Amino acid sequence: MTQVSTRTALVVPAADARRWPDVVAVPHGPLRARVARLLLRRVARRLAIRVELPGGRLLAPAPVGAEVLRLHDPDAFFSRVGAGGLIGFGESYQAGDWDSPDLVGVLTVLARSLPSLVPARLQHLRRWYAARQPEEQNGTPENARRNIAAHYDLSNELFALFLDPTMTYSSALFEPGPTGEPVARPELLEAAQHRKIDRLLDLAGVGAGTRLLEIGTGWGELALRAAARGADVVTLTLSTEQQALARQRIAAAGHADRVDVRLCDYRAATGEYDAIVSVEMVEAVGRAYWPAYFGVLDRLLAPGGRVALQAITMPHERMLATEATFTWIQKYIFPGGLLPSVEAVEQTLAAHTGLRLAHRQSFGAHYAETLRLWRERFAARGAEVAALGFDQVFRRMWTLYLGYSEAGFRSGYLDVQHLLLTREDEVR
């Protein structure tokens, strides 16, 4: 094998086995580990990735300037990937088995070829080796609050460390540069989040006197800006942490009389609304519950009303290929979620509602930049994250989540859309 300079091993403190059992335990499966090694060698050659092994060796020849995946504990890495696929790949990063000097760079290369990383002749084996989503993550009313709490109730202070002052946890919309690319810098993020919110409110026709329903409160910034326009807002959340802080922020802004922040499942919502807005909520619902989610929009929308959604989407064929697979993101970041395709949204609307997609606009490059800014700020404030009680396994998990997501948008594997829904007989 080609020689390279020797690297210092990554040191990760021992993890808490009660908190991280599948990160601490290395599965035993020599045959699967050998298969994983062969697959990575094939991927490294085909995608020109520089896979560095301890002691100064390369897994396969790689060109100068190739993206680097550095294995600190190859035996553990191949055992985890062989046993758990992409879940094992993520857990091996949490454990410190591998790293990269440019995490997003190497993940972007992998994401561009994600459908073909496993050879076509082995794809049919997916149903035998890919884990299935646990029943306790299904988006029932009983499970939904637990799924939401697992992410959004971690700590308001944690999110405040890397979000901008608006506490908006969804893609921003930046001003375009000379060639159309988003111009994204830390000092521009707050204005870019307001630009995104304003576009959604405009799309839904929100103004003075509008009866607005928001499904998915976040920390209240959209409700605040709608109230400032003179709208009367009901906003729903399942996160007690978000409800408490959103109420504080809304009261401090002087809009408590116009905004009602309810701890309420979307299925239990009542009333009639001129406009409904929901930002990156459908991703958490789960495919089995998309008819119920879109049915609620249909049931609560007044005649002539408009629905404006912001949704992360993926290609339809990839959604179909992976919808039954239990992923690292579902296991550690967003329990119960599934990203829809635009086609799946349209099919659900047609089959279960009188709503139709009247307009859509994608801006995936803006999400890549939003995630970059969050990731850089999270890294810069690592000591403060640790001071909140989040250990290094958590911090590596969060770093991978932000980098993995950014790579998805940079590669084009993921996109984000603004979708306008209107009644079928009102589409224009």
Side-chain angles (χ1 to χ4, degrees):
M1 294 184 181
T2 307
Q3 294 292 312
V4 297
S5 59
T6 303
R7 303 289 184 177
T8 302
L10 178 68
V11 178
V12 175
D16 181 345
R18 293 169 299 178
R19 174 69 179 86
W20 309 105
D22 293 340
V23 173
V24 172
V26 178
H28 179 71
L31 178 58
R32 288 189 172 193
R34 286 198 294 273
V35 172
R37 187 183 186 99
L38 290 172
L39 284 176
L40 183 60
R41 181 181 289 120
R42 173 184 179 274
V43 167
R45 286 173 172 157
R46 187 163 62 87
L47 302 184
I49 294 174
R50 187 181 183 89
V51 180
E52 297 181 356
L53 301 168
R57 297 173 298 155
L58 295 182
L59 185 65
V64 175
E67 297 291 350
V68 174
L69 193 156
R70 187 169 295 147
L71 299 183
H72 301 290
D73 189 337
D75 290 342
F77 174 87
F78 291 123
S79 292
R80 294 183 199 274
V81 173
L86 290 177
I87 291 179
F89 183 75
E91 288 172 343
S92 68
Y93 185 84
Q94 292 172 264
D97 298 341
W98 69 275
D99 218 318
S100 173
D102 182 0
L103 180 63
V104 173
V106 72
L107 291 175
T108 300
V109 172
L110 292 170
R112 286 195 185 110
S113 300
L114 196 57
S116 60
L117 290 182
V118 176
R121 65 183 181 276
L122 300 180
Q123 290 284 350
H124 71 283
L125 298 176
R126 172 185 291 274
R127 66 181 183 273
W128 300 108
Y129 70 81
R132 294 294 186 260
Q133 188 178 71
E135 287 188 7
E136 61 267 22
Q137 286 196 8
N138 290 341
T140 64
E142 295 75 23
N143 293 340
R145 185 168 296 187
R146 182 170 59 249
N147 288 345
I148 292 298
H151 188 86
Y152 295 97
D153 285 352
L154 284 168
S155 162
N156 286 336
E157 292 77 14
L158 170 69
F159 287 97
L161 287 176
F162 68 91
L163 298 178
D164 69 278
T166 70
M167 290 291 286
T168 304
Y169 188 40
S170 54
S171 181
L173 182 64
F174 298 93
E175 291 278 15
T179 60
E181 77 286 356
V183 178
R185 298 191 299 273
E187 67 273 16
L188 301 177
L189 182 55
E190 182 175 2
Q193 291 292 9
H194 283 159
R195 186 176 298 109
K196 176 272 303 293
I197 291 171
D198 290 343
R199 179 200 269 183
L200 279 167
L201 294 177
D202 290 344
L203 200 60
V206 175
T210 298
R211 297 169 299 169
L212 172 65
L213 174 66
E214 180 188 23
I215 300 179
T217 305
W219 285 274
E221 190 69 16
L222 187 146
L224 277 173
R225 289 186 78 78
R229 293 185 176 202
D232 295 308
V233 185
V234 173
T235 179
L236 311 181
T237 181
L238 289 179
S239 167
T240 55
E241 291 279 319
Q242 288 188 330
Q243 182 193 39
L245 186 53
R247 282 177 168 173
Q248 291 175 21
R249 297 180 72 235
I250 288 162
H255 293 306
D257 60 329
R258 286 199 171 274
V259 182
D260 181 5
V261 185
R262 299 178 183 174
L263 197 67
C264 177
D265 188 283
Y266 66 91
R267 286 160 283 211
T270 58
E272 184 177 75
Y273 301 91
D274 307 308
I276 302 175
V277 175
S278 189
V279 179
E280 296 181 20
M281 167 70 190
V282 67
E283 302 88 336
V285 168
R287 184 171 191 180
Y289 301 94
W290 289 345
Y293 172 79
F294 288 108
V296 165
L297 304 183
D298 193 18
R299 172 171 59 84
L300 301 179
L301 189 66
R306 296 159 72 92
V307 178
L309 306 180
Q310 180 165 311
I312 302 171
T313 60
M314 66 190 306
H316 190 62
E317 65 278 5
R318 293 308 303 158
M319 188 204 79
L320 294 176
T322 61
E323 63 179 331
T325 303
F326 188 41
T327 67
W328 181 82
I329 288 287
Q330 290 169 332
K331 183 173 181 177
Y332 288 102
I333 307 297
F334 291 114
L338 177 68
L339 303 183
S341 65
V342 174
E343 292 92 327
V345 171
E346 291 184 299
Q347 291 169 6
T348 305
L349 291 173
H352 299 281
T353 79
L355 299 171
R356 295 296 181 268
L357 179 60
H359 170 80
R360 74 180 177 98
Q361 184 170 358
S362 66
F363 54 109
H366 295 254
Y367 218 150
E369 292 302 311
T370 303
L371 284 156
R372 175 181 63 81
L373 294 175
W374 290 346
R375 177 177 54 82
E376 290 172 352
R377 193 172 187 201
F378 183 84
R381 306 191 77 171
E384 293 167 85
V385 176
L388 291 174
F390 296 102
D391 65 14
Q392 187 161 344
V393 175
F394 177 92
R395 299 194 301 276
R396 287 182 66 80
M397 176 183 77
W398 209 259
T399 297
L400 181 61
Y401 150 56
L402 293 172
Y404 181 88
S405 301
E406 181 183 343
F409 288 100
R410 292 203 182 282
S411 67
Y413 186 79
L414 301 178
D415 204 349
V416 63
Q417 316 270 346
H418 279 169
L419 308 176
L420 172 64
L421 312 182
T422 60
R423 302 279 184 204
E424 184 173 11
D425 58 357
E426 298 166 355
V427 173
R428 53 189 178 273

